[in-house]
């Protein structure tokens, strides 16, 4: 059974930083693309970032977070990270970690491409 669990959310002032973590079990983590999504109150869930199993340069970001957020992964620990710097009030949202099916190594911007989701972790940025 696949489990995806996020942590690291919280309340931070504008300009501050947070690091989200996501641990996935029950899948072959190093053979699976992973992504972060977020959903602000009253808005649809949106894709934020994704990374291929090899991580590094094989990572992609929505324009609104480029240069501020960094996705990374530690395949030995089955853990995905999202380092968020220079946070803005508009980054306030529930952040979700998602995993594609094992063996699906390409990044996807589409929610329907991800089979496994965490429960979310709340990020609130005050002005």
């Amino acid at each position: 059974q696949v489990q995806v669990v996020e942590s690291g959310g919280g309340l931070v002032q504008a300009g501050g930083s947070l690091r989200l973590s996501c641990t996935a079990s029950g899948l072959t983590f190093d053979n699976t693309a992973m992504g972060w999504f977020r959903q602000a109150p009253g808005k649809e869930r949106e894709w934020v970032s994704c990374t291929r199993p090899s991580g590094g340069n094989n990572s992609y970001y929505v324009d609104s977070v480029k240069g501020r957020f960094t996705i990374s992964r530690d395949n030995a620990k089955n853990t995905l990270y999202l380092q968020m710097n220079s946070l803005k009030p508009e980054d306030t949202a529930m952040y979700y970690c998602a995993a594609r099916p094992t063996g699906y190594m390409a990044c996807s911007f589409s929610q329907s491409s991800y089979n496994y989701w965490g429960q979310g972790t709340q990020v609130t940025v005050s002005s």
Side-chain angles (χ1 to χ4, degrees):
Q1 182 178 355
V2 177
Q3 288 192 317
V4 178
V5 180
E6 306 98 335
S7 62
L11 173 65
V12 64
Q13 288 188 330
S17 299
L18 281 174
R19 187 176 82 155
L20 306 183
S21 298
C22 167
T23 301
S25 60
L27 51 75
T28 306
F29 188 82
D30 62 0
N31 204 31
T32 302
M34 300 289 296
W36 287 100
F37 290 77
R38 66 186 179 184
Q39 186 168 18
K43 295 187 177 181
E44 293 186 354
R45 190 177 299 186
E46 68 167 349
W47 170 79
V48 175
S49 180
C50 64
T51 185
R52 292 172 59 90
S54 54
N57 291 333
N58 294 308
S59 303
Y60 305 90
Y61 303 89
V62 67
D63 285 348
S64 60
V65 308
K66 282 181 181 177
R68 300 188 298 120
F69 289 13
T70 302
I71 191 172
S72 63
R73 61 194 295 162
D74 185 337
N75 289 339
K77 296 181 178 179
N78 280 24
T79 301
L80 179 74
Y81 303 99
L82 186 67
Q83 177 67 43
M84 305 185 296
N85 298 329
S86 302
L87 281 161
K88 304 175 180 180
E90 51 264 44
D91 295 317
T92 294
M94 185 72 79
Y95 282 72
Y96 297 91
C97 174
R100 298 204 68 192
T102 294
Y104 283 70
M105 294 182 284
C107 265
S108 173
F109 311 149
S110 172
Q111 296 181 51
S112 62
S113 297
Y114 294 82
N115 279 29
Y116 310 107
W117 294 80
Q119 80 290 348
T121 186
Q122 178 68 39
V123 172
T124 303
V125 184
S126 63
S127 57

